[in-house]
Structures are given as structure tokens and as C-alpha cells.
RNA sequence: UGGGGGAUAGUCUAAGGGCAGGACAGAUGACUUUGACUCAUCCAGUCUAGGUUCGAAUCCUAGUCCCCCAGCCA
């Protein structure tokens, strides 16, 4: 039994424990086998954490293997992004980087072996005909007229498929299993098809490419994988996985174990949908901060530690599930609360003039960087006669439970002084455009020597000694918890991005570079976007702080 | 309606004959120079119906509902 960490038990660990206890395996080897046809998303993170995490816990190894058997859809760009994302998440495959395409020669030999055993044949039915012959879910299929060719003829035909003699679609290699099997996967599945396309790694060497079912089990076996963990939709393919290995590969065989893929509320994990969002310009790119891709989450400000923690805490099971986005956000906040330095930023500024504060005076005040640190350090922040506070922190006519600034009321400015609102200045339309106040010089640092209390502490920045910034606020991409790919248009959230261009941030942020993460006090966690430059700071809101006031206010 | 898989609080997940436990969400309170964090308390569950048993979420029988499979995709 594994007791080295707090990971909750799950059925996969139970299987591994049994296999180790029975002596079936001395150690474990897992693998993460992405097809390089898209960017990795949070669902892949679950699989990555599972496979690499299991290998770590059991002192085994985990391979990164690109399942690149379909040159039509695959691309070098994806290979690079996948490697970057896996590393970013915090995992390392060491020397164990593999490509299914590296096995094409061996795979071809296994196919020949199958033919020699009389268990595979070259079929000249068209794709449509094969579908017809396959039968339906309730009706058995019927044998292909090419099913009983001689071994010699099959060998010859397969060799000629390989040499490029035949057109795409004219011939395929099929396993000879059982056209009447209740499991349609077993009705003489296609093993090889002709595709006269260059492969991104093997170039023009091949014009026939092996199918997933043939490739995957043998790749696992060739790499001595012990536990081949995949998602539930491959459960029907497991008999084929085992059948192929039984015919051509010596024991022990890798064992395929299926688990339920991750579904997250208010987003979607299908590669097809993500590709569509990018292609139709609904989002900016694969790494748009609203995307559930790892590159999108990274740009949004998510941390690898938070994602790993999340993947561990959601557990692993076989039942369909829909995980609450709030849980991901909880894991994120937990990490960021401990690690993100605090700063002050005013998103929607409202000017406050402190009438009894000397004009042209600026003083440096000390502010704590992260009160969660055991020994917090401080920074200097400039304070002056004119400051900005958040528009929503002032109300001329406040309701009962509003603790913030209002006419005649005293509040604390974080790390600065108590101020009392003395007057309100409005424009012609009646909007509050400025607040006048007085400060109490005896409350420097934020506490009153006479012990008097205030209900609220506001964040603020100096009006003169602060920096302009653009702030991008994000919301979920969809308005429904379980969006369906067919109703994408109606279910898109038109307000998934809100850009604030008048924000002000502490001048300490002048040196911030893309990827830097901060807590904007009382508001949330923000990170510097890659669009940000020295003269034009851009921040993404990673996640807002929990806000009970907003909730009771609703 | 063939085959495969699944069902435990609103959500995710433990317990595999012996006290249904944890986390998220929600509620209340305490604390607070972030209406944050933290802490405390509370709310809330074994798909249904039978059976076996001293005892069933767990074993048996029969149902119900949900997911997957008919690519020369993975």
C-alpha cells in the first residue's frame, strides 16, 4: 500500500497495489499519450497528473508518447506546445520521449506476423461498403468477400499497399476476428489505411499508416508499460487491445484501465469546440485567458501547483462527473493567497481630495507585501492630497449594511490614514465625480491612538504617483453549465471579457513583467499579460477574491 | 431495442458485510488594517423494490435512469 502521501485512494491505485502485491509487476511504467492535433487542456492535466503522479508515487516511470498516426491532423506546432505544457505543469519525462511513428517499422512487422497467422487480410471494400458490411448495433455484420484470401495473397497485397501501388481508400488491412461480435469494435477492425500524405516526422517514407487500436497496444507493449490508463470511451476497445497483443506479443501485457474524463462547468473540453472557438475568432487564440487550455490558464494566471492540487483533489473514478468551477478556483486562491504579493490597484477610479492634507506633499508609507508570510516584508507607497478610491466603495446614500465611505463617515485607507467624507461633487447629470474628505494625521499607518474603530478599510492609490493600466476582467465563456457543441452560438457568454482602460496601479508595478502575479487587495488575483509593455501595463484578472458583500448585496 | 460502463449530500470523492467520512458550494457566528484569509458551528447523501444477514452503500434478484460504441479519427 502506498502511504507516502495524502493522495486519496482510488480504484487505479488499488489495481496497482494488487499487481505489486501479487508480484505481477516489480514496478510500474505509465504513459501520457497525446495526439499532437491540438493544445492540451485542463482535462489532459487530469490525465498527466494521474500518469506522472502515479509513476512518482510508486517510483516508476512515466513516458511521454506522441500518438502520431494520423498525419492529416497532426502538426509540429502541437508537439512543441504539448511538451511546454507538460513541463510547465511540473512533470518531466526524462529520457522517455517517444513517438508512435518511431514504431512504424515494428508495427509493420507485427502486421505481417498477423497476416502470416491468418488473422489479418487485405480488404478492397470501399469505406461505404465496409460500413454496410459492419451491420448495426443490433444486427450482426457479414463477412467481407475478401476475408478468405490466402496468406500469400495478403502478404503480397499488403506489401504493395506499402509500396504505394494502390490509391487511397482502395485497400485496407483488417483484423480477422468476428463480424457477428456484439461489440462492433471486434467486427474485423481496420488496422492500416493508405494515406498518401507526408508525415511530420517520417516524411514520405510511408503511405500506409496504422490505426489507433493497432498502434496503441503495441506501443504500450514495446515500452513495457504496465498500466495503460485511458478514458472511458476506450472501454469498448479493450477487447481489441488485448486481442492484438494476445496474437503477436509475449506476456506480460500492459493492462488498460479506463477512468472518467474531467468535465468542468461552464466550459467545454472538446478539441473540436476549442478549435472552432479559435478559428471563428470567438477567442483570440489557443492561449486566450478564457480558454480551458493549459496555455490559456497559464496566461490567465493559474499556477501549476493549483492545477496539480485540483487534479489530485477531484479524485479518479469511472462515473461521469461535472466538476464545479468553484472548486478549481478554490484551489487557485489557496495557492495565490499564500504566494501572491499584495498591491493596490483601483479599477474604476473615483477621485478623493483630502482637504486638510498639504498640497504638493507626498509621503512614503509602509505597506505589507503579504500578511500570510510568517515574517512579512514591506514596501513603500506614496500618499498625497489627491488619491483614487474604487467607485463602488463610495455611496452617497448607503443602505444599512454598507460599511464603506459615505457622507460624514470615517473609513480607513489601507496602510495610510482614516479619512472622513465631507462633501460630494457631481456633474450635471448628477453622477458623483469627486469626493472631498479630511484625514486624521494621528492615524498614520491605519490605526487610531484613541482606539476608535472604523467598519471599512479601502484600497487606494495616489492620484499623482500611480500608473495607468488596462485591466481585463474575465467571465466564463458559456452561460450554461453544460454547453452543447451544437448550440454554441446561443450559449456563448457575450460578457466573457470586460476591458477597463482607466485603472490605476501602484507605481511599484512599473517593473512588472508578463506572468507576474499579484493580489490587488480586496479585489482578486491579477497577472501581467503578455500584451503588457513598460508604458502600457495590462493585467488579467485571474480570479476574484471571495466576496460575501457582493453576495449578500444580490 | 445488441454490447460495454456507471449511479453515495447541490458538486466531487472515501468507506468493498460492522459508527456513511472528507473537500467544494451554501448558512450562521468569531476574528480582522483586505466584507479576503483563518477558526467554529450548521445544512445536506447511499437510484428504486424485494431478498440474504444479528448487521447491507457493500452480497443476491428484478427494475429505473445516465454515459459510450456502427471513422479508412484518437
Amino acid at each position: 500500500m502506498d502511504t507516502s502521501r495524502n493522495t486519496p485512494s482510488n480504484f487505479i491505485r488499488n489495481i496497482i497495489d494488487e499487481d505489486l502485491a501479487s508480484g505481477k509487476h516489480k514496478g510500474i511504467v505509465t504513459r501520457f499519450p497525446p495526439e499532437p492535433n491540438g493544445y492540451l487542456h485542463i482535462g489532459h492535466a487530469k490525465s498527466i497528473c494521474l500518469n506522472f503522479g502515479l509513476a512518482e508515487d510508486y517510483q516508476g516511470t512515466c513516458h511521454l508518447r506522441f500518438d502520431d498516426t494520423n498525419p492529416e491532423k497532426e502538426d509540429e506546432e502541437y508537439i512543441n506546445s504539448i511538451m511546454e505544457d507538460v513541463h510547465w505543469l511540473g512533470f518531466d519525462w526524462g529520457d522517455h520521449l517517444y513517438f508512435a511513428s518511431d514504431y512504424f517499422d515494428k508495427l509493420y512487422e507485427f502486421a505481417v506476423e498477423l497476416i502470416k497467422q491468418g488473422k489479418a487480410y487485405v480488404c478492397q471494400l470501399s469505406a461505404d461498403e465496409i460500413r454496410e458490411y459492419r451491420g448495426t448495433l443490433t444486427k450482426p455484420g457479414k463477412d467481407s468477400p475478401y476475408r478468405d484470401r490466402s496468406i500469400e495473397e495478403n502478404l503480397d497485397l499488403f506489401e504493395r499497399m506499402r509500396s504505394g501501388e494502390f490509391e487511397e481508400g482502395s485497400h485496407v488491412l483488417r483484423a480477422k476476428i468476428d463480424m457477428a461480435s456484439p461489440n462492433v469494435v471486434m467486427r474485423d477492425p481496420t488496422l492500416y489505411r493508405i494515406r498518401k500524405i507526408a508525415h511530420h516526422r517520417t516524411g514520405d517514407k510511408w503511405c500506409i499508416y496504422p490505426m489507433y487500436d493497432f498502434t496503441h497496444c503495441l506501443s504500450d507493449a514495446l515500452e513495457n508499460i504496465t498500466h495503460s490508463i485511458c478514458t472511458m470511451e476506450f472501454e469498448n476497445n479493450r477487447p481489441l487491445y488485448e486481442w492484438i497483443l494476445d496474437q503477436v506479443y509475449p506476456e506480460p501485457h500492459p493492462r488498460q484501465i479506463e477512468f472518467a474524463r474531467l468535465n468542468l462547468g461552464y466550459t467545454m473540453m472538446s478539441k473540436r469546440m476549442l478549435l472552432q472557438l479559435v478559428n471563428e475568432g470567438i477567442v483570440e487564440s489557443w492561449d486566450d485567458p478564457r480558454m480551458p487550455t493549459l496555455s490559456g490558464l497559464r496566461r490567465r494566471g493559474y499556477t501549476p501547483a493549483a492545477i496539480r492540487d485540483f487534479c489530485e483533489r477531484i479524485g479518479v473514478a469511472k462515473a461521469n462527473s461535472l466538476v464545479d468551477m468553484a472548486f478549481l478556483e478554490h484551489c487557485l486562491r489557496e495557492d495565490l493567497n499564500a504566494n501572491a504579493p499584495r498591491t493596490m490597484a483601483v479599477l474604476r477610479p473615483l477621485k478623493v481630495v483630502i482637504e486638510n492634507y498639504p498640497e504638493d506633499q507626498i509621503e512614503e508609507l509602509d505597506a505589507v507585501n503579504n500578511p500570510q508570510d510568517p515574517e512579512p516584508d514591506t514596501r513603500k507607497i506614496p500618499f498625497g492630497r489627491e488619491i483614487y478610491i474604487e467607485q463602488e466603495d463610495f455611496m452617497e446614500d448607503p443602505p444599512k449594511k454598507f460599511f464603506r465611505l459615505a457622507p460624514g463617515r470615517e473609513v480607513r485607507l489601507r496602510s495610510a490614514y482614516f479619512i472622513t467624507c465631507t462633501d460630494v461633487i457631481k456633474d450635471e447629470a448628477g453622477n458623483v465625480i469627486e469626493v472631498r474628505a479630511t484625514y486624521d494625521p494621528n492615524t498614520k499607518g491605519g490605526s487610531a491612538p484613541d482606539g476608535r474603530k472604523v467598519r471599512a478599510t479601502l484600497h487606494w492609490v495616489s492620484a499623482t504617483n500611480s500608473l495607468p493600466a488596462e485591466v481585463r476582467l474575465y467571465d466564463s465563456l458559456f452561460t450554461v453549465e453544460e454547453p452543447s457543441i451544437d448550440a454554441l452560438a446561443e450559449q456563448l457568454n457575450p460578457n466573457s471579457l470586460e476591458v477597463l482602460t482607466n485603472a490605476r496601479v501602484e507605481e511599484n508595478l512599473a517593473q512588472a513583467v508578463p506572468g507576474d502575479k499579484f493580489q490587488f487587495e480586496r479585489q482578486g488575483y491579477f497577472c501581467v499579460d503578455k500584451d503588457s509593455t513598460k508604458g502600457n501595463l495590462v493585467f488579467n484578472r485571474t480570479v476574484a477574491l471571495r466576496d460575501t458583500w457582493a453576495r449578500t448585496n444580490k
Side-chain angles (χ1 to χ4, degrees):
Chain A
M1 238 322 207
D2 159 59
T3 51
S4 63
R5 50 153 66 190
N6 283 338
T7 309
S9 176
N10 62 54
F11 76 100
I12 298 178
R13 284 171 176 273
N14 294 343
I15 290 171
I16 291 173
D17 290 339
E18 284 164 21
D19 288 346
L20 258 19
S22 74
K24 181 177 175 186
H25 299 294
K26 287 199 292 287
I28 66 161
V29 185
T30 57
R31 99 270 95 107
F32 173 61
E35 184 189 12
N37 69 342
Y39 280 65
L40 259 26
H41 53 62
I42 180 92
H44 292 110
K46 179 178 179 183
S47 174
I48 293 167
C49 292
L50 225 198
N51 280 292
F52 280 93
L54 248 14
E56 270 174 22
D57 289 355
Y58 288 88
Q59 281 113 45
T61 52
C62 180
H63 301 177
L64 173 62
R65 179 172 72 233
F66 287 97
D67 212 340
D68 56 350
T69 58
N70 185 359
E72 216 169 339
K73 292 184 178 170
E74 296 154 8
D75 196 279
E76 193 83 34
E77 176 197 357
Y78 299 124
I79 292 176
N80 296 329
S81 76
I82 288 167
M83 292 198 292
E84 183 188 355
D85 287 346
V86 174
H87 270 148
W88 176 73
L89 251 195
F91 297 104
D92 188 6
W93 51 87
D95 298 330
H96 300 284
L97 173 65
Y98 304 103
F99 292 83
S101 55
D102 287 342
Y103 307 137
F104 282 174
D105 285 296
K106 287 174 181 162
L107 259 16
Y108 183 83
E109 290 310 316
F110 283 122
V112 168
E113 168 64 20
L114 219 43
I115 294 171
K116 285 180 178 166
Q117 289 183 25
K119 288 168 182 164
Y121 62 98
V122 172
C123 182
Q124 283 164 253
L125 253 23
S126 70
D128 286 344
E129 288 167 328
I130 287 181
R131 190 179 318 117
E132 280 172 40
Y133 276 70
R134 187 157 31 226
T136 69
L137 294 178
T138 51
K139 267 180 282 179
K142 56 184 179 186
D143 288 357
S144 161
Y146 304 101
R147 198 173 200 260
D148 292 315
R149 290 211 234 244
S150 70
I151 289 171
E152 292 67 32
E153 193 183 358
N154 280 319
L155 251 12
D156 174 61
L157 254 14
F158 188 48
E159 168 58 33
R160 288 158 68 191
M161 277 173 65
R162 176 193 194 172
S163 69
E165 195 173 314
F166 306 125
E167 290 311 303
E168 280 190 16
S170 63
H171 298 64
V172 291
L173 183 73
R174 290 227 258 167
K176 191 190 285 188
I177 306 180
D178 179 8
M179 288 307 293
S181 171
N183 180 355
V184 291
V185 170
M186 299 299 273
R187 318 240 261 231
D188 288 11
T190 301
L191 267 21
Y192 267 89
R193 76 287 213 188
I194 301 172
R195 278 286 173 282
K196 297 194 171 175
I197 310 175
H199 185 277
H200 51 100
R201 284 182 60 86
T202 61
D204 295 327
K205 181 175 177 185
W206 297 91
C207 65
I208 57 172
Y209 292 96
M211 299 287 289
Y212 164 83
D213 285 305
F214 190 66
T215 308
H216 205 91
C217 55
L218 288 166
S219 301
D220 282 345
L222 287 166
E223 291 176 20
N224 296 311
I225 301 298
T226 56
H227 301 270
S228 179
I229 301 164
C230 63
T231 44
M232 293 302 294
E233 67 268 25
F234 292 103
E235 201 156 30
N236 294 316
N237 301 51
R238 192 172 64 224
L240 178 54
Y241 183 104
E242 289 171 350
W243 184 90
I244 293 169
L245 292 180
D246 284 344
Q247 313 312 311
V248 300
Y249 211 91
E251 304 267 1
H253 292 165
R255 171 170 176 182
Q256 177 178 307
I257 303 167
E258 308 85 11
F259 72 96
R261 61 165 3 117
L262 169 67
N263 296 297
L264 249 191
Y266 295 95
T267 187
M268 224 188 229
M269 235 59 95
S270 101
K271 282 190 194 173
R272 194 183 119 206
M273 183 284 284
L274 296 177
L275 187 63
Q276 193 176 334
L277 292 175
V278 174
N279 287 343
E280 292 181 8
I282 293 164
V283 297
E284 183 188 298
S285 54
W286 281 100
D287 70 348
D288 187 292
R290 292 165 290 180
M291 293 280 272
T293 52
L294 294 181
S295 54
L297 294 169
R298 174 165 64 233
R299 185 172 170 192
R300 172 85 167 250
Y302 275 73
T303 61
I307 294 174
R308 276 187 261 115
D309 184 42
F310 170 74
C311 289
E312 196 151 284
R313 291 168 69 178
I314 53 174
V316 184
K318 299 187 71 151
N320 294 335
S321 65
L322 180 65
V323 178
D324 201 330
M325 190 59 104
F327 192 53
L328 212 208
E329 294 182 340
H330 169 80
C331 295
L332 215 212
R333 290 193 188 102
E334 210 165 71
D335 185 25
L336 258 13
N337 177 49
N339 299 307
R342 267 104 246 233
T343 185
M344 291 195 285
V346 175
L347 270 30
R348 299 172 178 89
L350 171 63
K351 181 175 282 188
V352 178
V353 177
I354 301 163
E355 295 176 308
N356 61 339
Y357 195 89
E359 290 197 45
D360 303 324
Q361 178 178 316
I362 296 292
E363 66 181 308
E364 300 269 292
L365 300 170
D366 292 310
V368 173
N369 287 329
N370 189 345
Q372 301 290 324
D373 287 341
E375 290 171 35
D377 52 357
T378 60
R379 66 185 184 286
K380 296 286 185 190
I381 51 174
F383 183 82
R385 179 181 162 90
E386 296 193 356
I387 61 166
Y388 291 118
I389 63 167
E390 208 67 58
Q391 283 171 21
E392 65 175 22
D393 282 341
F394 176 82
M395 282 186 95
E396 192 182 8
D397 187 18
K400 203 89 202 128
K401 290 193 161 171
F402 184 87
F403 306 149
R404 282 108 98 145
L405 198 62
R409 180 168 312 160
E410 184 172 50
V411 299
R412 170 168 39 235
L413 294 176
R414 172 117 240 231
S415 308
Y417 293 98
F418 285 10
I419 58 167
T420 303
C421 173
T422 53
D423 201 5
V424 179
I425 296 171
K426 299 178 187 177
D427 63 13
E428 289 161 8
N431 302 308
V432 177
I433 54 168
E434 187 180 307
V435 170
R436 313 293 284 198
T438 55
Y439 84 117
D440 177 353
N442 294 319
T443 58
K444 181 171 180 174
S447 53
D450 63 7
R452 74 182 190 276
K453 302 285 186 200
V454 288
R455 293 299 296 272
T457 301
L458 308 189
H459 61 276
W460 55 275
V461 295
S462 157
T464 51
N465 295 51
S466 61
L467 266 19
E470 173 179 328
V471 174
R472 299 173 182 170
L473 306 181
Y474 301 102
D475 198 356
S476 60
L477 266 174
F478 297 94
T479 54
V480 294
E481 193 170 25
E482 278 185 280
S484 77
I485 192 153
D486 314 303
L488 204 130
E490 308 91 88
Q491 299 178 340
L492 272 175
N493 178 5
N495 305 314
S496 59
L497 169 64
E498 182 182 5
V499 180
L500 305 177
T501 53
N502 296 318
R504 306 289 304 190
V505 303
E506 276 182 36
E507 55 184 13
N508 293 312
L509 261 29
Q511 305 304 318
V513 296
D516 284 355
K517 295 167 179 62
F518 302 94
Q519 184 195 102
F520 288 179
E521 291 209 54
R522 300 210 306 134
Q523 301 192 109
Y525 298 96
F526 293 74
C527 79
V528 182
D529 190 74
K530 68 177 187 183
D531 289 346
S532 192
T533 61
K534 275 253 156 53
N536 185 26
L537 291 169
V538 180
F539 292 90
N540 296 316
R541 184 171 68 191
T542 308
V543 64
L545 249 32
R546 212 161 148 268
D547 189 350
T548 46
W549 163 242
R551 214 177 318 128
T552 55
N553 211 14
K554 246 189 263 182

